[in-house]
Amino acid sequence: MVCTDVLGRIEREVIKECSPTLAGLKTGNLFNYRYDNISDFRKELASVNRKLNAKGVYVTFLKRNEKSALLYVFRPDRLEKDLSQPAVQNVLKTFGYTDYKVGASIKQQRVGENTCFPHEIGLFLSYPVEDVIQFIRQKGCNYKCCGVWKVYCDEAFSQKMFARYRKCTEVYLRVFDRGRSISALTV
């Protein structure tokens, strides 16, 4: 049996790192989660998925080692909609993606293949496709501003989104710390 404070730890990390996804503002979030042993980690992951899957949110790992995992928290229905956009498919095609269905696209993720993080990951995280394209073209330079992502196109829109995400996270953490469950916080 996994200790409940351990389960509370993964839930708090999901709240801290993924509140905009839980609130339905974003398709997904990505964060690194450290754990003590793989057996407890698998139980933690199963427990949080039991609570979130009913609300349309899933947690999976894209990469893991003996003490940490890169967790992807996402809404499959929103990801499916994002991946159906021709501009998104064109970008993914340049990186070798051949199937744009949710499960297949996640499996095709190139996380861990190189020392560089795959730049197309932004398409799985609700970053504007134009900003992802420009990030790739500009090699991460010459951006207008930086927040959740590097902004090359619509700075005003992006600044509003960054503020919404920050406010959402502040509120979710405060309410979670006062005793509201992760299930109750997930839209």
Side-chain angles (χ1 to χ4, degrees), residues 37-171:
N37 70 64
I38 190 66
S39 176
D40 284 351
F41 169 66
R42 289 184 191 282
K43 291 174 186 171
E44 291 174 76
L45 200 55
S47 173
V48 79
N49 268 309
R50 274 191 301 278
K51 294 173 182 177
L52 297 180
N53 292 174
K55 302 280 186 130
V57 177
Y58 290 75
V59 183
T60 189
F61 63 88
L62 300 181
K63 175 179 146 180
R64 89 174 161 75
N65 61 35
E66 60 279 344
K67 292 294 177 184
S68 69
L70 185 62
L71 296 183
Y72 179 46
V73 178
F74 68 105
R75 292 181 170 273
D77 57 335
R78 285 197 52 166
L79 183 57
E80 181 178 347
K81 184 177 174 187
D82 293 351
L83 295 175
S84 72
Q85 297 175 42
V88 169
Q89 290 181 1
N90 287 338
V91 173
L92 293 175
K93 190 181 297 181
T94 65
F95 290 101
Y97 289 75
T98 56
D99 189 337
Y100 307 110
K101 291 181 181 72
V102 170
S105 292
I106 291 172
K107 287 179 184 168
Q108 291 177 77
Q109 279 294 318
R110 301 173 317 117
V111 175
E113 284 184 12
N114 307 314
T115 55
C116 275
F117 212 72
H119 302 311
E120 76 274 10
I121 195 77
L123 300 172
F124 293 78
L125 304 171
S126 295
Y127 299 178
V129 66
E130 300 83 9
D131 286 334
V132 172
I133 291 167
Q134 287 304 313
F135 179 89
I136 293 165
R137 286 185 182 151
Q138 301 288 328
K139 297 182 168 73
C141 300
N142 305 316
Y143 50 90
K144 293 179 180 178
C145 71
C146 186
V148 176
W149 63 85
K150 289 184 177 177
V151 178
Y152 293 87
C153 297
D154 193 341
E155 185 175 2
F157 166 80
S158 298
Q159 290 289 4
K160 286 179 191 171
M161 294 310 297
F162 298 161
R164 285 180 77 192
Y165 297 162
R166 274 191 306 275
K167 183 67 172 175
C168 176
T169 300
E170 289 169 11
V171 169

